[in-house]
Amino acid sequence: MPPPADIVKVAIEWPGAFPKLMEIDQKKPLSAIIKEVCEGWSLGNHENFALQIADATNFYITEKNRNDIKNGSILRLTTSPYQTAVQLHERIQSSSMDAKLEALKDLANASRDITFAQEFINLDGISLLTQMVESGTERYQKLQKIMKPCFGDLLSFTLTAFVELMDHGIVSWDTFSVAFIKKIASYVNKSAMDTAVLQRSLAILESMVLNTDESTYTIAVINALFLKAPEEKRQEMAHILAQKQLRSIILSNVIRSPTAINDEMAHQLYVLQVLTFNLLEDRMMTKMDPQDQAQRDIIFELRRIAFDVECEPNSSGSIEKRKSMYTRDYKKLGFINHVNPAVDFTQIPPGMLALDNMLYFARHHQDAYIRIVLENSSREDKHECPFGRSSIELTKMLCEILKVGELPSENCHDFHPMFFTHDRSFEEFFCICIQLLNKTWKEMRATSEDFNKVMQVVREQIMRALTLKPNSLDQFKSRLQNLSYTEILKIRQSERMNQEDFQSRPILELREKIQPEIMELIKQQRLNRLCEGTCFRKISSRRRQDKFWYCRLSPNHKVLHYGDLEESPQGEVPHDSLQDKLPVADIKAVITGKDCPHMKEKGALKQNKEVLELAFSVLYESDEYLNFIAPDKHEYCVWTDGLNALLGKEMTSDYTKSDMDTLLSMEMKLRLLDLENIQIPEAPPPIPKEPSNYDFVYDCN
């Protein structure tokens, strides 16, 4: 008689014991079966155990997959997914390199199982791994030369575990920092990196791009690869991205999207803009070789386009005649060295980049190029604008404005949409600006002696137009049309007048009188904020940000009340619920940044620049500290200002300076409202003489 369909015959293994043959009733709860197995081997706490498939997969048996067990299957009794996750979570943080390596290897294998993965992720395991990638592996890189195989395996197993955990789809790919992306990209671009690490890094970057709706991450990945790539590979990367029409995609789907661009996206676009312009650095720092015929042919091409002449063969005319003709034409083109203009391009910067721009202008804006050259070459009144010299100096200026060759700033969001509207945006930028320079030169009726003055005005015109953030090159050109030399003079005059008004002696005296009042107002605001209190996070070396504490100043400004909280509060926390007190009279000093004791103790926090900038400590008694990490820069400024005010010290934060400027400016304008269009005297008016009689006085009584 065949066995019932719900009964499965299996063998169950347990290390150090003979396997057991057992019939499993699929109708019974899995926990009851595990309990029965444990009792057979006299094992207590059956809830700490689980069953696995005894093959290469080691998958856990759950209520969902238990029906996959077949007759004759071999199972293994093992620790539960939760217990295994807890053990591995502790082991991968071991200080021993060998123990850590073994733990990461076990984690990489275990992470393929979704049941284990869920438990490990619940323990904040993903955050722990990303923190290890961002900063934890730094100290091992110092040992890379003497322990290279070990380092490669360590990183390889870390990334393998990360990939396996993420593949289950439990955690979104949108949750990772740009710092993590940059770190992964750095592994891709290291020439001597372990093959397994390279494969895992590429898999992570690919998944980030494919599995996120956030285009910010895609651009961040591209930027990270650009930043970490060797210089010789950046041009190749740029060519590949151009073939993929990256610029057009960003313009259509990001810049011109109806969704507003947030700060992080603006920063990534700024970084991409800087890195794209930095591709020009090589040409900017390359001198022209006056003996290089190919480079000299470019100058011949400029002459040919401008004057519609062909290069004469050697047989036509004497050498002296040809030299004289070339010298005349090179003078008309505005070069400094009329005999050998190649010498003009030996100055770096801008080097060969200036010649590239001139040739682009001549070929792609031929009518404008010919008009500028002929217009100035035919003048005899010393007011001609030298095209060659102007182009070289303008190229140098544009490189300075766009900071070509400098690394992008960490906190800047200053991208210009117009540079994403054309594949050759720098060259088109130059073409617009060289025509502006020629126009401004004529408006100023400049001569060669005024060259530097013209360049200063042109720089101001360009900077003012860029400040308006035009959406296209045509819009930029239109803005420049409205910034003529006459308009620049008006703007300068207006700004000068405003500045002079506020520098007069009576105004300065009024500012000095008002300033202490404003400072007292700021001080009271800071102390009021301290009385309201702030919730701070407790950040451990593992960066488990799940504990909170609250601190507030008493209404009489004499005591700091503080204490731990179970969760982030909604609103203010009453004084009586805060267990600890610190009298303000006992406070000796306020310490900030890297000098704080909690920044010196915790290596991981010490490496985190953002945390360093938010850290401050209160020193009291002989050597006791109350340590803070502010939730943001604003709260950091409020608390350091408030504590310094309590100690009678100066409030020096950026926030105080900003508040002082804003409030002082507003108060000055309010007090001067009645003086509109009235000239403020330098000295007080004289006191008039007493009247001859007082008959005009009316006695109200």
Side-chain angles (χ1 to χ4, degrees):
M1 181 177 176
D6 295 325
I7 301 299
V8 181
K9 294 183 178 181
V10 297
I12 300 178
E13 298 176 343
W14 172 250
F18 288 107
K20 283 191 174 186
L21 296 177
M22 188 173 179
E23 291 185 350
I24 292 179
D25 186 352
Q26 293 284 38
K27 291 181 179 179
K28 290 176 65 175
L30 189 59
S31 58
I33 296 171
I34 293 170
K35 182 179 181 181
E36 183 181 342
V37 173
C38 289
E39 288 173 350
W41 273 308
S42 302
L43 299 173
N45 300 322
H46 70 277
E47 62 274 5
N48 292 335
F49 292 90
L51 292 173
Q52 278 182 331
I53 300 290
D55 59 12
T57 64
N58 291 328
F59 284 170
Y60 282 96
I61 303 297
T62 65
E63 293 290 356
K64 290 182 179 179
N65 65 12
R66 62 184 294 178
N67 290 326
D68 295 337
I69 302 173
K70 308 297 181 185
N71 278 314
S73 296
I74 301 176
L75 308 182
R76 180 186 301 117
L77 184 66
T78 186
T79 52
S80 69
Y82 172 75
Q83 289 296 325
T84 305
V86 170
Q87 292 167 11
L88 284 174
H89 194 276
E90 293 176 359
R91 287 173 56 202
I92 63 174
Q93 299 178 74
S94 171
S95 57
S96 165
M97 179 74 96
D98 291 335
K100 191 184 194 81
L101 181 61
E102 195 62 32
L104 285 168
K105 184 178 180 180
D106 291 344
L107 177 62
N109 288 327
S111 297
R112 290 178 294 179
D113 182 87
I114 189 170
T115 310
F116 167 83
Q118 184 67 69
E119 297 292 351
F120 189 76
I121 289 169
N122 289 343
L123 294 172
D124 211 11
I126 290 285
S127 297
L128 178 59
L129 290 178
T130 54
Q131 187 249 329
M132 289 171 64
V133 171
E134 285 180 31
S135 58
T137 54
E138 293 288 346
R139 63 192 183 96
Y140 298 116
Q141 287 179 313
K142 296 177 182 178
L143 305 173
Q144 188 173 1
K145 290 184 179 178
I146 57 174
M147 303 182 68
K148 188 172 181 180
C150 184
F151 170 79
D153 289 343
L154 182 83
L155 191 53
S156 173
F157 288 130
T158 303
L159 296 180
T160 300
F162 178 84
V163 171
E164 293 289 355
L165 290 167
M166 291 302 299
D167 280 349
H168 295 298
I170 299 169
V171 177
S172 170
W173 285 94
D174 292 334
T175 58
F176 300 104
S177 67
V178 174
F180 178 73
I181 296 172
K182 287 181 179 177
K183 180 65 71 174
I184 297 298
S186 71
Y187 300 143
V188 173
N189 286 304
K190 284 184 180 174
S191 55
M193 184 52 70
D194 182 83
T195 304
V197 173
L198 179 62
Q199 290 174 343
R200 303 298 183 278
S201 299
L202 287 170
I204 291 170
L205 294 178
E206 180 185 22
S207 295
M208 281 189 168
V209 173
L210 295 177
N211 295 296
T212 176
D213 295 330
E214 272 285 342
S215 48
T216 307
Y217 289 100
T218 305
I219 299 175
V221 168
I222 293 168
N223 288 337
L225 290 171
F226 252 120
L227 277 167
K228 302 299 180 180
E231 289 187 16
E232 63 273 10
K233 289 188 177 180
R234 290 179 186 173
Q235 291 287 354
E236 184 181 344
M237 284 180 61
H239 179 67
I240 294 170
L241 293 173
Q243 287 182 326
K244 301 291 185 183
Q245 298 185 331
L246 174 69
R247 179 196 60 77
S248 299
I249 293 169
I250 291 174
L251 181 66
S252 302
N253 299 304
V254 179
I255 296 175
R256 291 181 177 170
S257 167
T259 307
I261 295 175
N262 59 33
D263 285 347
E264 183 56 39
M265 174 58 85
H267 174 67
Q268 294 304 328
L269 290 172
Y270 152 77
V271 172
L272 183 59
Q273 172 186 294
V274 171
L275 295 177
T276 302
F277 285 138
N278 280 356
L279 296 171
L280 303 169
E281 184 182 11
D282 182 54
R283 294 293 284 174
M284 181 182 77
M285 301 306 293
T286 300
K287 293 182 179 181
M288 184 172 184
D289 181 0
Q291 307 305 318
D292 189 317
Q293 187 59 44
Q295 294 180 0
R296 294 177 66 186
D297 285 345
I298 299 175
I299 298 176
F300 293 151
E301 178 73 358
L302 290 173
R303 174 178 174 266
R304 184 194 67 76
I305 296 172
F307 305 116
D308 195 22
V309 295
E310 297 295 335
C311 292
E312 296 82 358
N314 292 335
S315 58
S316 62
S318 67
I319 295 175
E320 290 301 322
K321 184 180 178 181
R322 288 203 310 275
K323 282 186 178 180
S324 174
M325 189 165 48
Y326 286 152
T327 300
R328 181 199 66 203
D329 290 347
Y330 292 150
K331 183 178 180 180
K332 289 180 179 180
L333 281 168
F335 290 113
I336 297 173
N337 192 316
H338 306 150
V339 177
N340 185 8
V343 176
D344 290 12
F345 299 98
T346 56
Q347 173 195 349
I348 54 170
M352 288 295 292
L353 185 60
L355 187 58
D356 294 342
N357 283 340
M358 294 168 70
L359 183 62
Y360 182 90
F361 182 49
R363 286 179 172 173
H364 294 83
H365 300 270
Q366 196 171 108
D367 291 344
Y369 167 70
I370 294 172
R371 176 178 55 78
I372 288 175
V373 173
L374 296 184
E375 184 180 88
N376 289 287
S377 63
S378 61
R379 300 189 69 157
E380 298 294 339
D381 55 1
K382 296 184 180 180
H383 290 288
E384 66 276 3
C385 177
F387 173 73
R389 182 185 176 191
S390 299
S391 297
I392 292 169
E393 290 302 318
L394 179 63
T395 300
K396 182 179 179 182
M397 180 200 292
L398 298 183
C399 289
E400 290 171 357
I401 290 172
L402 298 176
K403 296 180 171 58
V404 175
E406 295 183 21
L407 287 174
S409 167
E410 289 290 333
N411 302 311
C412 187
H413 309 98
D414 189 25
F415 82 96
H416 294 277
M418 73 178 195
F419 291 130
F420 291 86
T421 62
H422 201 286
D423 289 329
R424 304 288 293 273
S425 60
F426 183 79
E427 290 87 343
E428 289 292 327
F429 186 42
F430 168 84
C431 294
I432 293 171
C433 293
I434 193 64
Q435 294 177 75
L436 167 73
L437 193 155
N438 186 65
K439 172 175 171 285
T440 303
W441 185 284
K442 288 189 291 185
E443 290 173 349
M444 294 176 68
R445 292 192 55 77
T447 63
S448 56
E449 288 80 11
D450 302 316
F451 188 87
N452 290 335
K453 292 180 182 177
V454 175
M455 295 305 294
Q456 288 173 5
V457 174
V458 170
R459 176 187 279 269
E460 186 173 345
Q461 289 170 314
I462 294 169
M463 293 300 292
R464 288 186 183 277
L466 286 176
T467 303
L468 299 171
K469 293 290 180 71
N471 291 319
S472 66
L473 290 163
D474 286 339
Q475 198 175 91
F476 172 69
K477 191 173 182 179
S478 176
R479 298 273 166 81
L480 289 175
Q481 292 293 330
N482 298 327
L483 286 169
S484 64
Y485 176 57
T486 305
E487 186 62 26
I488 291 293
L489 289 179
K490 289 179 182 177
I491 294 171
R492 286 179 175 179
Q493 180 67 18
S494 174
E495 291 176 349
R496 193 180 300 117
M497 288 178 64
N498 290 336
Q499 186 177 8
E500 286 173 357
D501 281 349
F502 278 88
Q503 293 303 316
S504 61
R505 190 163 59 85
I507 297 295
L508 292 176
E509 289 177 359
L510 180 60
R511 285 175 64 91
E512 289 178 10
K513 182 180 179 181
I514 296 173
Q515 203 157 338
E517 300 173 17
I518 301 296
M519 186 58 74
E520 183 62 28
L521 184 66
I522 294 171
K523 176 183 173 182
Q524 290 303 319
Q525 188 273 339
R526 299 293 191 268
L527 294 176
N528 288 340
R529 278 288 294 107
L530 264 62
C531 289
E532 292 173 10
T534 301
C535 177
F536 298 93
R537 287 185 181 272
K538 283 191 171 183
I539 303 183
S540 67
S541 59
R542 300 179 186 176
R543 297 179 71 182
R544 293 282 307 277
Q545 301 187 12
D546 53 358
K547 294 185 178 180
F548 303 90
W549 67 290
Y550 199 88
C551 186
R552 64 182 298 179
L553 180 66
S554 62
N556 62 5
H557 300 174
K558 292 185 177 181
V559 179
L560 283 177
H561 297 265
Y562 62 96
D564 293 343
L565 302 175
E566 291 297 325
E567 57 184 5
S568 181
Q570 301 296 322
E572 295 182 18
V573 176
H575 293 94
D576 51 14
S577 65
L578 301 173
Q579 310 90 339
D580 301 304
K581 297 180 181 179
L582 172 59
V584 172
D586 291 347
I587 298 177
K588 306 299 182 187
V590 178
I591 303 168
T592 60
K594 62 183 179 181
D595 296 326
C596 297
H598 56 315
M599 292 296 101
K600 294 178 180 178
E601 293 170 2
K602 299 179 173 63
L605 294 181
K606 192 175 179 182
Q607 299 296 327
N608 191 325
K609 186 179 177 183
E610 293 179 4
V611 174
L612 269 175
E613 292 176 349
L614 300 175
F616 62 97
S617 298
V618 171
L619 171 64
Y620 61 96
E621 294 182 356
S622 57
D623 196 21
E624 296 292 327
Y625 294 90
L626 186 61
N627 297 320
F628 299 76
I629 295 178
D632 51 47
K633 189 68 176 177
H634 178 271
E635 288 296 319
Y636 170 84
C637 292
V638 166
W639 274 85
T640 52
D641 282 344
L643 291 169
N644 280 322
L646 287 172
L647 298 178
K649 296 183 179 179
E650 187 179 355
M651 298 183 293
T652 58
S653 75
D654 295 338
Y655 188 36
T656 293
K657 292 174 185 175
S658 174
D659 282 355
M660 173 60 75
D661 291 342
T662 303
L663 294 172
L664 191 56
S665 174
M666 290 173 60
E667 185 66 20
M668 290 290 292
K669 289 175 181 177
L670 285 171
R671 296 201 183 192
L672 295 174
L673 277 177
D674 294 334
L675 302 179
E676 194 74 35
N677 297 323
I678 298 176
Q679 187 175 1
I680 300 171
E682 290 292 330
I687 299 173
K689 294 179 181 179
E690 288 192 21
S692 57
N693 62 69
Y694 293 90
D695 295 343
F696 56 86
V697 176
Y698 179 76
D699 188 355
C700 295
N701 298 323

